[in-house]
Amino acid sequence: MSPESHFNTRRRPGRTALPPEYEPVAVSTDRYAARRSTLMRTHRGQQVDALLVTNVTNVSYLTGFTGDSSSLLVGGKTAILISDGRYTQQIEEECPDIEAEIRPGTETMPAATARVAQRLKLGKLGFESGSTTVQAWEQLRERAKSL
């Protein structure tokens, strides 16, 4: 028996078929909304208006988004995924319940985050100290005077 004999033999050109147990499965966006809600409940005592999630693994865990170069602002009933134009369609498909802020290629992530924070009138923002650099935080604070 060849190694591929148990695989589906119908294939699209250039693509190896996967066994049924490895095919993509639709996941309810409720799972991610519940995770974001739990995150905010755990940080309720810290008196922050929102949390800035920058670690790609954590962004994915909280949103279902599998791309990179993105950040998530989550607070109260608000969740905004900040990314660039490369991921517009992917965000629409993977995160239909989340508002997306697509930054132009000329705008840095801290500048885009600051713009969104000002639009939301955020006063106190929590962030992931393990993945947000001091430089990025300082750039964000320079641009968003309310933080």
Side-chain angles (χ1 to χ4, degrees):
M1 179 188 310
S2 75
E4 291 188 346
S5 64
H6 67 283
F7 288 86
N8 182 349
T9 56
R10 284 182 27 178
R11 298 182 185 156
R12 284 189 258 162
R15 180 176 174 207
T16 303
L18 294 173
E21 63 269 21
Y22 292 109
E23 287 296 324
V25 177
V27 177
S28 169
T29 58
D30 292 346
R31 170 190 293 179
Y32 302 111
R35 290 174 178 176
R36 292 189 301 271
S37 181
T38 300
L39 175 68
M40 289 311 296
R41 268 196 319 276
T42 2
H43 288 81
R44 191 174 292 151
Q46 295 183 4
Q47 300 173 346
V48 293
D49 297 325
L51 296 169
L52 174 61
V53 181
T54 54
N55 178 284
V56 68
T57 302
N58 295 337
V59 170
S60 180
Y61 179 79
L62 294 168
T63 65
F65 178 59
T66 58
D68 57 16
S69 302
S70 301
S71 294
L72 176 69
L73 265 177
V74 59
K77 296 190 183 296
T78 303
I80 301 175
L81 187 59
I82 305 166
S83 193
D84 61 60
R86 296 175 294 168
Y87 299 109
T88 303
Q89 182 177 353
Q90 185 176 350
I91 291 170
E92 289 171 0
E93 292 170 1
E94 294 179 350
C95 312
D97 65 326
I98 295 179
E99 179 184 341
E101 182 68 33
I102 304 300
R103 65 184 176 86
T106 57
E107 184 177 41
T108 65
M109 184 61 79
T113 304
R115 184 170 41 78
V116 173
Q118 286 184 302
R119 186 182 81 212
L120 296 174
K121 297 177 175 55
L122 299 177
K124 192 169 183 184
L125 184 64
F127 63 95
E128 292 180 294
S129 61
S131 63
T132 303
T133 66
V134 172
Q135 179 183 16
W137 180 248
E138 287 174 352
Q139 289 174 354
L140 181 104
R141 288 191 60 204
E142 284 174 17
R143 288 174 172 83
K145 301 297 181 194
S146 63
L147 296 176

